[in-house]
Amino acid sequence: MPLDQLMQTIVIIEDERDIAHVLRSYLTQAGFRALVAHDGRLGLDLTRREKPALVILDLMLPGLDGLDICRALRRDPDPAISETAILILTARVEETDRLIGLELGADDYVSKPFSPREVVARVRTILRRTQPRPDAAPARPLVIGDVRLDPTRRDVSVAGAAVELTPTEFDLLYLLMNDAGRPFTRMELLEKLQGDAYEGYERTIDVHVKNLRRKLGDASRNPRFLLTILNYGYKFADH
């Protein structure tokens, strides 16, 4: 097992103790250091103290709601906290409720009931994207119009001004910019981001694109960078 994975910390914020215990057990067996908080405020404090690689966050929590925790993490002035990957657990049935967390900056979500193995797979997929292989050659920065993306440093700027993105937002932008002008379907983007296509999750791409447009200063009605292909998907303008 790679040494870097052994050092990775996952914080689980989940008030249902049985679920938290199972997730911690599976993640520990997978080689992660898994810490648990059963209360929202305690979970937020634990995340700020430990600065984990990823947070598994239930939405319905005592003390502090999961959406408030997500919002607080993304607004934290410390990049080691604000850029932490977030995987949401939700028992909420309505799709609009499940997507609120994505709009607040979560990277992905899993609906209850779920398979612990699926959660571990999602965690690995997210972390694999955000942590480049040590033997990989540095990738060249991409510059298209006012947007500059550096895959090695994982930073983005628009007209020289830095833009803070979540891990998934960064990876989505990189995919589109690296093949600018090529239209991608939503399912193609999901497959490239997650490794597997999940039926019914296509709208997650719409939410991430919406967040990217807002952060890049790209007007949704007349975008310059992220273009919508009607009844198909998205592409990055090749200007």
Side-chain angles (χ1 to χ4, degrees):
M1 186 176 298
L3 180 62
D4 59 342
Q5 180 170 313
L6 289 171
M7 301 302 293
Q8 289 177 313
T9 296
I10 309 296
V11 166
I12 304 165
I13 310 177
E14 168 61 70
D15 63 320
E16 295 187 49
R17 294 177 182 271
D18 290 344
I19 292 178
H21 174 75
V22 169
L23 287 176
R24 179 170 59 186
S25 176
Y26 271 77
L27 287 164
T28 300
Q29 291 176 17
F32 297 100
R33 175 175 176 251
L35 306 176
V36 174
H38 300 296
D39 173 275
R41 293 190 184 280
L42 294 177
L44 181 58
D45 291 342
L46 178 64
T47 301
R48 285 172 168 162
R49 183 171 67 251
E50 294 290 335
K51 298 179 181 179
L54 183 142
V55 174
I56 298 176
L57 176 63
D58 186 27
L59 288 186
M60 303 177 69
L61 292 164
L64 191 65
D65 185 83
L67 294 178
D68 290 329
I69 294 174
C70 188
R71 187 181 294 108
L73 292 177
R74 289 299 177 233
R75 292 178 177 175
D76 198 283
D78 185 348
I81 297 171
S82 64
E83 297 177 7
T84 299
I86 300 174
L87 175 63
I88 283 180
L89 305 179
T90 175
R92 297 180 178 178
V93 177
E94 294 297 327
E95 185 182 37
T96 53
D97 290 335
R98 298 200 303 267
L99 296 180
I100 289 174
L102 297 176
E103 292 181 349
L104 293 176
D107 293 278
D108 200 358
Y109 70 86
V110 176
S111 298
K112 296 179 180 179
F114 54 78
S115 162
R117 290 186 177 86
E118 179 188 356
V119 175
V120 173
R122 296 285 190 95
V123 168
R124 282 176 165 161
T125 297
I126 293 172
L127 295 180
R128 191 181 304 119
R129 295 197 320 257
T130 59
Q131 299 180 1
R133 291 166 44 196
D135 58 342
R140 62 181 179 83
L142 303 175
V143 181
I144 302 177
D146 291 335
V147 182
R148 184 182 191 277
L149 182 149
D150 189 329
T152 303
R153 297 173 59 90
R154 290 189 68 86
D155 58 34
V156 175
S157 62
V158 178
V163 177
E164 293 186 6
L165 302 180
T166 68
T168 295
E169 289 166 358
F170 181 93
D171 294 326
L172 177 58
L173 182 61
Y174 176 75
L175 283 171
L176 292 167
M177 288 186 66
N178 195 48
D179 214 343
R182 175 197 161 182
F184 289 87
T185 66
R186 291 169 177 83
M187 290 306 295
E188 280 183 293
L189 293 171
L190 279 172
E191 288 172 355
K192 291 178 179 296
L193 289 173
Q194 297 179 341
D196 294 290
Y198 294 91
E199 294 291 345
Y201 279 53
E202 289 190 19
R203 283 200 59 199
T204 64
I205 293 296
D206 296 336
V207 176
H208 291 313
V209 168
K210 176 182 176 182
N211 290 342
L212 276 173
R213 283 174 171 162
R214 173 173 51 81
K215 292 182 178 182
L216 297 176
D218 208 12
S220 58
R221 292 190 176 182
N222 188 27
R224 296 178 294 156
F225 311 126
L226 293 165
L227 308 182
T228 301
I229 310 301
L230 189 62
N231 299 323
Y232 191 82
Y234 298 99
K235 71 176 181 178
F236 197 93
D238 53 351
H239 50 59

Coordinates of all heavy atoms in Angstrom, one line a residue, residues 6-96:
L6 N -1.3 5.9 3.5 CA -1.3 5.6 4.9 C -1.4 6.9 5.7 O -1.9 6.8 6.8 CB -0.1 4.8 5.3 CG 0.0 3.3 4.8 CD1 1.4 2.7 5.1 CD2 -1.1 2.5 5.5
M7 N -0.9 7.9 5.2 CA -0.8 9.2 5.9 C -2.1 10.0 5.7 O -2.2 11.1 6.3 CB 0.4 10.0 5.5 CG 1.7 9.3 5.7 SD 2.0 8.9 7.4 CE 2.2 10.5 8.1
Q8 N -3.0 9.6 4.9 CA -4.2 10.4 4.6 C -5.2 10.3 5.7 O -5.5 9.2 6.1 CB -4.7 10.0 3.2 CG -3.9 10.5 2.1 CD -4.4 10.0 0.7 OE1 -4.8 8.9 0.6 NE2 -4.5 10.9 -0.2
T9 N -5.7 11.4 6.1 CA -6.7 11.4 7.2 C -8.1 11.7 6.6 O -8.2 12.6 5.7 CB -6.4 12.5 8.2 OG1 -5.2 12.1 8.9 CG2 -7.5 12.6 9.3
I10 N -9.1 10.9 7.0 CA -10.5 11.2 6.6 C -11.3 11.5 7.8 O -11.2 10.7 8.8 CB -11.1 9.9 5.9 CG1 -10.2 9.4 4.8 CG2 -12.5 10.2 5.4 CD1 -10.0 10.3 3.6
V11 N -12.0 12.6 7.8 CA -12.9 12.9 9.0 C -14.3 12.5 8.6 O -14.8 12.9 7.5 CB -12.8 14.4 9.3 CG1 -14.0 14.8 10.2 CG2 -11.5 14.7 10.0
I12 N -15.0 11.7 9.4 CA -16.4 11.3 9.2 C -17.2 12.1 10.2 O -17.1 11.9 11.4 CB -16.5 9.8 9.5 CG1 -15.6 9.0 8.6 CG2 -18.0 9.3 9.2 CD1 -15.4 7.5 9.0
I13 N -18.2 12.9 9.7 CA -19.1 13.6 10.6 C -20.5 13.0 10.4 O -21.2 13.3 9.4 CB -19.1 15.1 10.3 CG1 -17.7 15.6 10.2 CG2 -19.9 15.9 11.3 CD1 -17.6 17.1 9.9
E14 N -20.8 12.1 11.3 CA -22.1 11.3 11.1 C -22.6 11.0 12.5 O -21.9 10.4 13.4 CB -21.7 10.0 10.4 CG -22.8 8.9 10.4 CD -24.1 9.4 9.8 OE1 -24.1 9.5 8.5 OE2 -25.1 9.5 10.5
D15 N -23.9 11.3 12.8 CA -24.5 11.1 14.1 C -25.0 9.7 14.3 O -25.2 9.3 15.5 CB -25.6 12.2 14.4 CG -26.7 12.0 13.4 OD1 -26.5 11.8 12.2 OD2 -27.9 12.2 13.9
E16 N -25.2 9.0 13.3 CA -25.7 7.6 13.4 C -24.4 6.7 13.7 O -23.6 6.5 12.8 CB -26.4 7.1 12.2 CG -27.7 7.9 11.9 CD -28.5 7.2 10.8 OE1 -28.7 6.0 10.8 OE2 -29.0 8.0 9.9
R17 N -24.3 6.3 14.9 CA -23.0 5.7 15.4 C -22.7 4.4 14.6 O -21.6 4.1 14.3 CB -23.1 5.4 16.9 CG -23.1 6.8 17.6 CD -23.2 6.6 19.1 NE -23.2 7.8 19.8 CZ -22.2 8.5 20.2 NH1 -21.0 8.0 20.0 NH2 -22.3 9.7 20.8
D18 N -23.7 3.6 14.3 CA -23.5 2.4 13.5 C -22.9 2.6 12.2 O -22.0 2.0 11.7 CB -24.8 1.6 13.4 CG -25.3 1.0 14.7 OD1 -24.4 0.9 15.7 OD2 -26.4 0.6 14.8
I19 N -23.5 3.7 11.5 CA -23.0 4.0 10.2 C -21.5 4.5 10.3 O -20.7 4.1 9.5 CB -23.9 5.1 9.5 CG1 -25.2 4.5 9.2 CG2 -23.2 5.6 8.2 CD1 -26.2 5.4 8.5
A20 N -21.3 5.4 11.2 CA -19.9 6.0 11.4 C -18.9 4.8 11.7 O -17.8 4.9 11.2 CB -20.0 7.0 12.5
H21 N -19.3 3.9 12.6 CA -18.4 2.8 12.9 C -18.1 1.9 11.7 O -16.9 1.6 11.5 CB -19.1 1.9 14.0 CG -18.3 0.7 14.3 ND1 -17.1 0.7 15.1 CD2 -18.5 -0.6 13.9 CE1 -16.7 -0.5 15.2 NE2 -17.4 -1.4 14.5
V22 N -19.1 1.6 10.9 CA -18.9 0.8 9.7 C -17.9 1.6 8.7 O -17.0 1.0 8.2 CB -20.2 0.5 9.0 CG1 -19.9 -0.2 7.6 CG2 -21.0 -0.5 9.9
L23 N -18.2 2.8 8.5 CA -17.4 3.6 7.6 C -15.9 3.7 8.1 O -15.0 3.5 7.3 CB -17.9 5.0 7.4 CG -19.2 5.1 6.5 CD1 -19.7 6.6 6.5 CD2 -19.0 4.7 5.1
R24 N -15.8 3.9 9.4 CA -14.4 4.0 9.9 C -13.7 2.7 9.7 O -12.5 2.6 9.4 CB -14.5 4.4 11.4 CG -13.1 4.5 12.0 CD -13.1 5.1 13.4 NE -14.0 4.3 14.3 CZ -14.3 4.7 15.5 NH1 -13.8 5.8 16.0 NH2 -15.1 4.0 16.3
S25 N -14.4 1.6 10.0 CA -13.8 0.3 9.8 C -13.3 0.0 8.4 O -12.2 -0.4 8.2 CB -14.8 -0.8 10.3 OG -14.3 -2.1 10.1
Y26 N -14.2 0.3 7.4 CA -13.9 0.1 6.0 C -12.7 1.0 5.6 O -11.8 0.5 4.8 CB -15.1 0.3 5.1 CG -15.9 -0.9 4.9 CD1 -16.8 -1.4 5.9 CD2 -15.9 -1.7 3.8 CE1 -17.6 -2.5 5.8 CE2 -16.6 -2.8 3.6 CZ -17.5 -3.2 4.6 OH -18.3 -4.4 4.5
L27 N -12.7 2.2 6.0 CA -11.7 3.2 5.6 C -10.3 2.8 6.2 O -9.3 2.9 5.6 CB -12.1 4.6 6.0 CG -13.1 5.2 5.1 CD1 -13.7 6.5 5.8 CD2 -12.6 5.6 3.7
T28 N -10.4 2.3 7.5 CA -9.2 1.9 8.2 C -8.6 0.7 7.4 O -7.4 0.6 7.2 CB -9.4 1.6 9.6 OG1 -9.9 2.7 10.3 CG2 -8.2 1.1 10.3
Q29 N -9.4 -0.3 7.1 CA -9.0 -1.5 6.4 C -8.4 -1.1 5.0 O -7.5 -1.8 4.5 CB -10.1 -2.4 6.2 CG -10.6 -3.1 7.5 CD -11.8 -4.0 7.2 OE1 -12.1 -4.4 6.1 NE2 -12.5 -4.3 8.3
A30 N -8.9 0.0 4.4 CA -8.4 0.5 3.1 C -7.1 1.3 3.3 O -6.5 1.7 2.2 CB -9.4 1.3 2.4
G31 N -6.6 1.5 4.5 CA -5.3 2.1 4.7 C -5.4 3.6 5.1 O -4.4 4.3 5.1
F32 N -6.6 4.1 5.4 CA -6.7 5.5 5.8 C -6.7 5.7 7.3 O -7.0 4.7 8.0 CB -8.0 6.1 5.2 CG -8.0 6.1 3.7 CD1 -8.7 5.2 3.0 CD2 -7.4 7.1 3.0 CE1 -8.8 5.2 1.6 CE2 -7.4 7.2 1.6 CZ -8.1 6.2 0.9
R33 N -6.4 6.9 7.7 CA -6.6 7.2 9.1 C -8.0 7.9 9.3 O -8.2 9.0 8.7 CB -5.5 8.2 9.6 CG -5.7 8.8 11.0 CD -4.5 9.6 11.4 NE -4.6 10.2 12.7 CZ -4.8 11.5 12.9 NH1 -4.9 12.3 11.8 NH2 -4.9 12.0 14.1
A34 N -8.9 7.2 9.9 CA -10.3 7.7 9.9 C -10.7 8.2 11.3 O -10.5 7.4 12.3 CB -11.3 6.6 9.5
L35 N -11.1 9.4 11.4 CA -11.6 10.0 12.6 C -13.1 10.3 12.6 O -13.6 10.7 11.5 CB -10.8 11.3 12.9 CG -9.3 11.2 12.9 CD1 -8.6 12.6 13.1 CD2 -8.8 10.2 13.9
V36 N -13.8 10.2 13.7 CA -15.2 10.4 13.7 C -15.7 11.4 14.7 O -15.1 11.6 15.8 CB -15.9 9.0 14.1 CG1 -17.4 9.2 14.2 CG2 -15.6 8.0 13.1
A37 N -16.7 12.2 14.3 CA -17.4 13.1 15.2 C -18.9 12.9 15.0 O -19.3 12.7 13.8 CB -17.0 14.6 14.8
H38 N -19.6 12.8 16.0 CA -21.1 12.6 16.0 C -21.9 13.8 16.1 O -23.1 13.7 16.1 CB -21.5 11.6 17.1 CG -20.8 10.3 17.0 ND1 -20.9 9.4 15.9 CD2 -19.9 9.7 17.8 CE1 -20.1 8.3 16.1 NE2 -19.5 8.5 17.3
D39 N -21.3 15.0 16.2 CA -22.0 16.2 16.4 C -21.4 17.2 15.3 O -20.2 17.2 15.1 CB -21.7 16.7 17.8 CG -22.3 18.1 18.0 OD1 -21.6 19.1 17.7 OD2 -23.5 18.3 18.4
G40 N -22.3 18.1 14.8 CA -21.8 19.0 13.7 C -20.7 20.0 14.2 O -19.7 20.1 13.5
R41 N -20.9 20.6 15.3 CA -19.9 21.5 15.8 C -18.6 20.9 16.1 O -17.5 21.4 15.8 CB -20.4 22.3 17.0 CG -21.6 23.2 16.7 CD -22.0 24.1 17.8 NE -23.1 24.9 17.5 CZ -23.1 26.0 16.7 NH1 -22.0 26.4 16.2 NH2 -24.3 26.7 16.5
L42 N -18.7 19.7 16.7 CA -17.4 18.9 17.0 C -16.8 18.5 15.7 O -15.5 18.5 15.7 CB -17.8 17.7 17.9 CG -18.3 18.0 19.3 CD1 -18.6 16.7 20.0 CD2 -17.3 18.8 20.1
G43 N -17.6 18.1 14.7 CA -17.0 17.8 13.5 C -16.3 18.9 12.8 O -15.2 18.7 12.2
L44 N -16.9 20.1 12.8 CA -16.2 21.2 12.2 C -14.9 21.6 12.9 O -13.9 21.8 12.3 CB -17.2 22.4 12.3 CG -16.7 23.7 11.7 CD1 -16.3 23.6 10.2 CD2 -17.7 24.8 11.8
D45 N -14.9 21.5 14.3 CA -13.7 21.8 15.0 C -12.6 20.7 14.7 O -11.4 21.0 14.6 CB -14.0 21.7 16.5 CG -14.8 22.9 17.0 OD1 -14.9 23.9 16.2 OD2 -15.4 22.9 18.1
L46 N -13.1 19.4 14.6 CA -12.1 18.4 14.3 C -11.5 18.6 12.9 O -10.3 18.4 12.7 CB -12.8 17.0 14.3 CG -12.0 15.8 14.0 CD1 -10.9 15.6 15.0 CD2 -12.9 14.5 14.0
T47 N -12.3 19.0 11.9 CA -11.8 19.2 10.6 C -10.8 20.4 10.6 O -9.7 20.3 9.9 CB -13.0 19.5 9.6 OG1 -13.9 18.4 9.6 CG2 -12.5 19.7 8.2
R48 N -11.1 21.4 11.3 CA -10.2 22.6 11.3 C -8.9 22.2 12.0 O -7.8 22.7 11.6 CB -10.8 23.7 12.0 CG -11.9 24.4 11.1 CD -12.7 25.5 11.9 NE -13.5 26.3 11.0 CZ -14.5 27.0 11.3 NH1 -14.9 27.0 12.6 NH2 -15.2 27.7 10.5
R49 N -8.9 21.3 13.0 CA -7.7 20.9 13.7 C -6.9 20.0 12.9 O -5.7 20.1 12.9 CB -8.1 20.3 15.1 CG -6.9 20.0 16.0 CD -7.4 19.6 17.3 NE -8.1 18.3 17.4 CZ -9.4 18.3 17.6 NH1 -10.1 19.4 17.9 NH2 -10.1 17.1 17.6
E50 N -7.5 19.0 12.3 CA -6.8 17.9 11.7 C -6.4 18.2 10.2 O -5.5 17.6 9.7 CB -7.6 16.6 11.7 CG -7.8 16.0 13.1 CD -6.5 15.5 13.7 OE1 -5.6 15.1 12.9 OE2 -6.4 15.4 14.9
K51 N -7.2 19.1 9.5 CA -7.0 19.4 8.1 C -6.9 18.1 7.3 O -5.8 17.9 6.7 CB -5.7 20.3 8.0 CG -5.8 21.6 8.7 CD -4.6 22.5 8.6 CE -4.7 23.8 9.3 NZ -3.5 24.6 9.2
P52 N -7.9 17.4 7.2 CA -7.9 16.1 6.5 C -7.8 16.2 5.0 O -8.1 17.3 4.5 CB -9.2 15.4 7.0 CG -10.1 16.6 7.2 CD -9.3 17.7 7.7
A53 N -7.5 15.1 4.4 CA -7.6 15.0 2.9 C -9.0 15.1 2.4 O -9.3 15.6 1.3 CB -6.9 13.8 2.4
L54 N -10.0 14.6 3.2 CA -11.4 14.5 2.8 C -12.3 14.4 4.0 O -11.9 13.8 5.0 CB -11.6 13.3 1.9 CG -13.0 13.1 1.2 CD1 -12.8 12.6 -0.2 CD2 -13.8 12.1 2.1
V55 N -13.5 15.0 3.9 CA -14.5 15.0 4.9 C -15.7 14.2 4.3 O -16.2 14.5 3.2 CB -14.9 16.4 5.3 CG1 -16.1 16.3 6.3 CG2 -13.8 17.1 6.0
I56 N -16.2 13.2 5.1 CA -17.4 12.5 4.8 C -18.5 13.2 5.7 O -18.4 13.1 6.9 CB -17.3 11.0 5.0 CG1 -16.3 10.4 4.1 CG2 -18.7 10.4 4.8 CD1 -16.0 8.9 4.3
L57 N -19.4 13.8 5.1 CA -20.3 14.7 5.9 C -21.8 14.3 5.7 O -22.3 14.4 4.6 CB -20.1 16.2 5.4 CG -21.0 17.2 6.0 CD1 -20.8 17.4 7.5 CD2 -20.7 18.6 5.3
D58 N -22.4 14.0 6.8 CA -23.9 13.8 6.8 C -24.5 15.1 6.8 O -24.0 16.1 7.4 CB -24.3 12.9 8.0 CG -25.7 12.6 8.0 OD1 -26.3 12.4 6.9 OD2 -26.3 12.4 9.1
L59 N -25.7 15.2 6.2 CA -26.4 16.5 6.1 C -27.2 16.8 7.4 O -27.3 17.9 7.8 CB -27.3 16.6 4.9 CG -26.6 16.7 3.5 CD1 -27.6 16.9 2.4 CD2 -25.6 17.9 3.5
M60 N -27.8 15.8 7.9 CA -28.7 16.0 9.1 C -28.0 15.6 10.3 O -27.8 14.4 10.7 CB -30.0 15.1 8.9 CG -30.7 15.4 7.6 SD -32.2 14.4 7.3 CE -33.3 15.0 8.6
L61 N -27.5 16.7 11.0 CA -26.7 16.5 12.2 C -27.2 17.3 13.4 O -27.7 18.4 13.2 CB -25.2 16.9 11.9 CG -24.4 16.1 10.9 CD1 -23.2 16.9 10.4 CD2 -24.0 14.8 11.5
P62 N -26.9 16.9 14.6 CA -27.2 17.7 15.8 C -26.1 18.7 16.0 O -25.0 18.5 15.5 CB -27.2 16.7 16.9 CG -26.3 15.6 16.5 CD -26.5 15.5 15.0
G63 N -26.4 19.8 16.6 CA -25.4 20.9 16.9 C -25.2 21.8 15.7 O -25.3 23.1 15.9
L64 N -25.0 21.3 14.5 CA -24.8 22.2 13.4 C -25.1 21.4 12.1 O -24.6 20.3 11.9 CB -23.3 22.7 13.3 CG -23.0 23.8 12.3 CD1 -23.7 25.1 12.6 CD2 -21.5 24.0 12.3
D65 N -26.0 21.9 11.3 CA -26.4 21.2 10.1 C -25.2 21.0 9.1 O -24.3 21.8 9.0 CB -27.5 22.0 9.4 CG -28.1 21.2 8.2 OD1 -29.0 20.4 8.4 OD2 -27.7 21.5 7.1
G66 N -25.3 19.9 8.4 CA -24.2 19.6 7.4 C -24.0 20.6 6.4 O -22.9 20.9 5.9
L67 N -25.1 21.2 5.9 CA -25.0 22.3 4.9 C -24.2 23.5 5.5 O -23.4 24.1 4.8 CB -26.3 22.7 4.4 CG -27.1 21.7 3.6 CD1 -28.5 22.2 3.2 CD2 -26.3 21.2 2.4
D68 N -24.5 23.8 6.8 CA -23.7 24.9 7.4 C -22.3 24.6 7.6 O -21.4 25.5 7.4 CB -24.3 25.2 8.8 CG -25.7 25.8 8.7 OD1 -26.0 26.5 7.7 OD2 -26.5 25.6 9.6
I69 N -22.0 23.3 7.8 CA -20.6 22.9 7.9 C -19.9 23.0 6.6 O -18.8 23.6 6.5 CB -20.5 21.4 8.4 CG1 -21.0 21.3 9.8 CG2 -19.0 20.9 8.3 CD1 -21.0 19.9 10.3
C70 N -20.6 22.6 5.5 CA -20.0 22.7 4.2 C -19.7 24.2 3.8 O -18.7 24.5 3.3 CB -21.0 22.1 3.2 SG -20.4 22.0 1.5
R71 N -20.7 25.0 4.1 CA -20.5 26.5 3.9 C -19.3 27.0 4.7 O -18.5 27.8 4.1 CB -21.8 27.2 4.2 CG -21.8 28.6 3.8 CD -23.2 29.3 4.3 NE -24.3 28.8 3.5 CZ -25.2 28.0 4.0 NH1 -25.2 27.6 5.3 NH2 -26.2 27.6 3.3
A72 N -19.2 26.6 5.9 CA -18.2 27.2 6.8 C -16.8 26.7 6.3 O -15.8 27.5 6.3 CB -18.4 26.7 8.2
L73 N -16.7 25.5 5.8 CA -15.4 25.0 5.3 C -15.0 25.7 4.1 O -13.8 26.1 3.9 CB -15.5 23.4 5.1 CG -15.7 22.5 6.3 CD1 -15.8 21.1 5.9 CD2 -14.5 22.7 7.3
R74 N -15.9 25.9 3.2 CA -15.5 26.6 1.9 C -15.2 28.0 2.1 O -14.5 28.6 1.3 CB -16.7 26.4 0.9 CG -16.9 25.0 0.4 CD -15.6 24.5 -0.4 NE -15.7 23.2 -0.8 CZ -14.8 22.2 -0.6 NH1 -13.8 22.5 0.2 NH2 -15.0 21.0 -1.1
R75 N -15.7 28.6 3.2 CA -15.4 30.0 3.5 C -14.2 30.2 4.4 O -13.8 31.4 4.7 CB -16.6 30.7 4.1 CG -17.8 30.8 3.1 CD -19.0 31.5 3.8 NE -20.1 31.7 2.9 CZ -21.3 32.1 3.3 NH1 -21.5 32.4 4.6 NH2 -22.3 32.3 2.4
D76 N -13.6 29.1 4.8 CA -12.4 29.2 5.8 C -11.3 29.9 5.1 O -11.0 29.6 3.9 CB -12.0 27.8 6.3 CG -11.2 27.9 7.5 OD1 -10.0 28.2 7.4 OD2 -11.7 27.6 8.6
P77 N -10.6 30.8 5.8 CA -9.5 31.5 5.2 C -8.2 30.7 4.9 O -7.3 31.0 4.1 CB -9.2 32.7 6.2 CG -9.7 32.2 7.5 CD -10.9 31.3 7.1
D78 N -8.2 29.5 5.6 CA -7.0 28.6 5.4 C -7.3 27.7 4.2 O -8.2 26.9 4.2 CB -6.8 27.8 6.7 CG -5.6 26.9 6.6 OD1 -5.0 26.8 5.5 OD2 -5.2 26.4 7.7
P79 N -6.5 27.8 3.1 CA -6.7 26.9 2.0 C -6.6 25.4 2.3 O -7.3 24.6 1.6 CB -5.6 27.3 1.0 CG -5.2 28.7 1.5 CD -5.4 28.7 2.9
A80 N -5.9 25.1 3.3 CA -5.8 23.7 3.7 C -7.1 23.1 4.2 O -7.4 21.9 4.2 CB -4.7 23.5 4.8
I81 N -8.0 24.1 4.6 CA -9.4 23.7 5.0 C -10.4 24.0 3.9 O -11.2 23.1 3.6 CB -9.7 24.5 6.3 CG1 -8.8 24.1 7.4 CG2 -11.2 24.2 6.7 CD1 -8.9 24.9 8.7
S82 N -10.3 25.2 3.3 CA -11.3 25.5 2.3 C -11.3 24.7 1.1 O -12.3 24.5 0.4 CB -11.2 27.0 2.0 OG -9.9 27.2 1.3
E83 N -10.1 24.1 0.8 CA -10.0 23.2 -0.4 C -10.1 21.7 -0.1 O -9.8 20.9 -1.0 CB -8.6 23.6 -1.1 CG -8.5 25.0 -1.6 CD -7.2 25.3 -2.2 OE1 -6.4 24.4 -2.3 OE2 -7.0 26.5 -2.5
T84 N -10.4 21.4 1.1 CA -10.6 20.0 1.5 C -11.8 19.4 0.7 O -12.8 20.0 0.6 CB -10.9 19.9 3.0 OG1 -9.8 20.4 3.8 CG2 -11.1 18.4 3.4
A85 N -11.5 18.2 0.2 CA -12.6 17.5 -0.5 C -13.7 17.1 0.4 O -13.5 16.7 1.6 CB -12.1 16.3 -1.2
I86 N -15.0 17.2 -0.1 CA -16.2 16.9 0.8 C -17.0 15.9 0.0 O -17.5 16.2 -1.1 CB -17.0 18.2 1.1 CG1 -16.1 19.2 1.9 CG2 -18.2 17.8 1.9 CD1 -16.8 20.5 2.1
L87 N -17.3 14.8 0.7 CA -18.3 13.8 0.2 C -19.5 13.8 1.1 O -19.4 13.5 2.3 CB -17.6 12.4 0.1 CG -18.5 11.3 -0.3 CD1 -19.0 11.4 -1.7 CD2 -17.8 9.9 -0.1
I88 N -20.6 14.1 0.6 CA -21.9 14.2 1.4 C -22.6 12.9 1.4 O -22.7 12.2 0.4 CB -22.8 15.4 0.8 CG1 -22.2 16.7 1.2 CG2 -24.2 15.2 1.3 CD1 -23.0 17.9 0.7
L89 N -23.1 12.6 2.6 CA -24.0 11.5 2.8 C -25.4 12.1 3.1 O -25.6 13.0 3.9 CB -23.6 10.7 4.0 CG -22.2 10.1 4.1 CD1 -22.0 9.3 5.4 CD2 -22.0 9.2 2.9
T90 N -26.4 11.6 2.4 CA -27.7 12.2 2.6 C -28.8 11.2 2.5 O -28.8 10.3 1.6 CB -28.0 13.3 1.5 OG1 -29.4 13.8 1.7 CG2 -27.8 12.9 0.1
A91 N -29.8 11.3 3.4 CA -31.0 10.4 3.3 C -32.2 11.2 2.7 O -33.3 10.7 2.7 CB -31.3 10.0 4.7
R92 N -31.9 12.4 2.3 CA -33.0 13.3 1.8 C -33.4 12.7 0.4 O -32.6 12.4 -0.5 CB -32.6 14.7 1.7 CG -32.3 15.3 3.1 CD -31.9 16.7 3.1 NE -31.6 17.2 4.4 CZ -31.2 18.5 4.7 NH1 -31.0 19.3 3.7 NH2 -31.1 18.8 5.9
V93 N -34.7 12.7 0.2 CA -35.2 12.0 -1.0 C -35.2 13.0 -2.2 O -34.9 12.6 -3.4 CB -36.7 11.5 -0.8 CG1 -37.2 10.9 -2.1 CG2 -36.7 10.5 0.4
E94 N -35.6 14.2 -2.1 CA -35.7 15.1 -3.2 C -34.4 15.4 -3.8 O -33.4 15.7 -3.1 CB -36.4 16.4 -2.8 CG -37.9 16.2 -2.3 CD -38.8 15.8 -3.5 OE1 -38.5 16.1 -4.6 OE2 -39.7 15.0 -3.2
E95 N -34.3 15.4 -5.1 CA -33.0 15.6 -5.8 C -32.6 17.1 -5.5 O -31.4 17.3 -5.4 CB -33.2 15.4 -7.3 CG -31.9 15.6 -8.1 CD -32.1 15.4 -9.6 OE1 -33.1 15.9 -10.1 OE2 -31.2 14.9 -10.2
T96 N -33.5 18.0 -5.5 CA -33.1 19.4 -5.2 C -32.4 19.5 -3.9 O -31.4 20.3 -3.7 CB -34.3 20.3 -5.2 OG1 -35.3 19.9 -4.4 CG2 -34.9 20.4 -6.6

